[in-house]
Amino acid sequence: MTNLPENNLTPFERIKQTDPNGNEYWSARQLAKVLEYSEYRHFQPVIERAKEACINSGYPVADHFEDILEMILLAKTAKREVESVKLSRYACYLIVQNADPNKEVVAWGQTYFAMQTRIQEIRQMDEYNRLSSEEEKRLFLRNEMSKHNVYLASAAKEAGVIEPLDYAIFQNHGYMGLYGGLDARAIHKRKGLKKNQQILDHMGSTELAANLFRATQTEEKLRREQIKGKDAANETHFQVGKKVRQTIREIGGTMPENLPSAESIKKLQKKSGKNSSDQGYIEGLE
């Protein structure tokens, strides 16, 4: 079993490199070792499947997979030049999606790279980048959170989370993973919120983004792995939240429980004429 780090960089960040132009990349040979492939030749079919997925997604393979030569150490002083592949973050995401899902480190990598890729996607979204104020970003992310909470509720229902109380417990597991063990009630207390105030309505853009990653990745994982049973769904939500928290720690971010509460989003929605599309059932269970 792979011991995944709690306080240090993930194994994926440890092997990340930067080229002379300042672009981050990963060596396929190093990634193969991290993903516990005994020999590189066994890893090469995974790379080929990832390339096919890249083509099917409409992205040029050359932008994400570059054949290179690198030196490997054979003995104390002996070295040999071998073939490898220079991988972008997106290439790594495609690779872990096509690697052996029975490996614990692969499952971790799927969540990690999916989340990192989602971060880049949001940063690159024209609509989001045009937003100049914190209020505009909050409104945008709160609306995204509304939509994805509906999708998450649907995925949870398919997994067996049916009753309102069960869904509240399911949501709490996600919060506990992301907020270092704090459930919704504890978050309310920590943030100085009243019982009838919804947590999401008082989050700034940074905290909303973290919760959006938690919701989207949990939904995808529930569906992708066809997780069944309330306990399994709860554990999935907790683990995804925990991995989002780990990434925040790695990039030096502020833990979500330490971020300040913001003015109610409902006031901003009234000013802008926009309303949250959440179903009351879904977010009234916080």
Side-chain angles (χ1 to χ4, degrees):
M1 179 178 290
T2 303
N3 293 318
L4 300 176
E6 289 293 332
N7 300 313
N8 300 316
L9 292 176
T10 69
F12 308 109
E13 287 296 318
R14 289 197 192 108
I15 64 171
K16 183 177 72 175
Q17 301 180 59
T18 304
D19 66 20
N21 296 320
N23 300 311
E24 63 179 18
Y25 73 93
W26 283 258
S27 157
R29 285 185 176 270
Q30 290 184 343
L31 184 60
K33 291 179 180 179
V34 169
L35 295 178
E36 300 175 353
Y37 282 81
S38 58
E39 296 184 37
Y40 183 65
R41 61 188 176 91
H42 298 318
F43 189 62
Q44 288 175 309
V46 180
I47 297 175
E48 293 306 312
R49 290 196 296 271
K51 288 181 178 180
E52 290 180 13
C54 187
I55 293 171
N56 293 335
S57 299
Y59 294 102
V61 170
D63 289 353
H64 300 280
F65 299 81
E66 179 185 345
D67 293 331
I68 60 172
L69 295 174
E70 62 182 39
M71 300 299 293
I72 61 170
L73 186 65
L74 297 178
K76 290 185 178 180
T77 57
K79 294 182 179 180
R80 179 163 63 90
E81 200 171 51
V82 295
E83 294 180 349
S84 186
V85 183
K86 182 179 178 181
L87 306 168
S88 70
R89 188 180 288 274
Y90 182 62
C92 293
Y93 164 71
L94 294 176
I95 283 173
V96 294
Q97 294 300 325
N98 285 277
D100 183 355
N102 294 317
K103 296 175 184 287
E104 184 184 9
V105 71
V106 170
W108 160 257
Q110 287 175 345
T111 299
Y112 174 78
F113 281 111
M115 189 179 66
Q116 290 293 334
T117 301
R118 177 62 177 158
I119 290 173
Q120 288 188 336
E121 287 174 350
I122 285 184
R123 287 174 177 168
Q124 293 168 1
M125 290 171 70
D126 289 340
E127 184 180 357
Y128 187 74
N129 287 332
R130 286 197 297 268
L131 304 178
S132 58
S133 70
E134 168 67 6
E135 289 186 358
E136 290 175 322
K137 291 178 180 179
R138 283 187 68 202
L139 286 169
F140 176 87
L141 291 169
R142 184 66 180 89
N143 186 54
E144 287 292 301
M145 191 75 220
S146 297
K147 291 188 294 185
H148 285 286
N149 259 349
V150 174
Y151 303 152
L152 177 60
S154 175
K157 186 175 182 179
E158 291 175 11
V161 181
I162 308 296
E163 300 300 325
L165 178 58
D166 291 334
Y167 189 77
I169 294 170
F170 170 77
Q171 284 285 53
N172 260 339
H173 276 76
Y175 280 135
M176 288 188 290
L178 178 56
Y179 287 78
L182 301 180
D183 62 9
R185 181 177 296 180
I187 295 170
H188 269 84
K189 184 177 180 180
R190 179 77 173 242
K191 301 278 187 176
L193 300 176
K194 297 178 182 178
K195 186 177 180 180
N196 64 343
Q197 291 177 313
Q198 292 184 1
I199 297 170
L200 293 169
D201 284 347
H202 293 268
M203 291 182 182
S205 62
T206 298
E207 192 173 356
L208 278 168
N211 279 276
L212 179 59
F213 302 147
R214 167 186 59 77
T216 56
Q217 296 313 308
T218 301
E219 181 221 339
E220 290 182 12
K221 189 174 179 66
L222 288 173
R223 295 188 191 280
R224 181 179 65 246
E225 299 182 11
Q226 298 183 342
I227 291 170
K228 299 298 179 184
K230 292 183 290 188
D231 291 342
N234 291 342
E235 180 64 16
T236 297
H237 204 178
F238 177 80
Q239 290 299 331
V240 171
K242 185 177 179 181
K243 288 167 186 175
V244 175
R245 183 179 180 86
Q246 172 67 27
T247 299
I248 293 171
R249 179 183 292 115
E250 288 170 2
I251 63 177
T254 302
M255 292 296 109
E257 66 272 16
N258 295 326
L259 291 169
S261 297
E263 178 186 34
S264 174
I265 197 78
K266 289 182 172 60
K267 293 182 179 180
L268 301 183
Q269 289 168 344
K270 287 180 180 179
K271 286 194 295 183
S272 67
K274 296 179 179 179
N275 292 310
S276 170
S277 61
D278 281 307
Q279 296 177 355
Y281 161 73
I282 294 172
E283 291 194 348
L285 297 173
E286 290 184 331

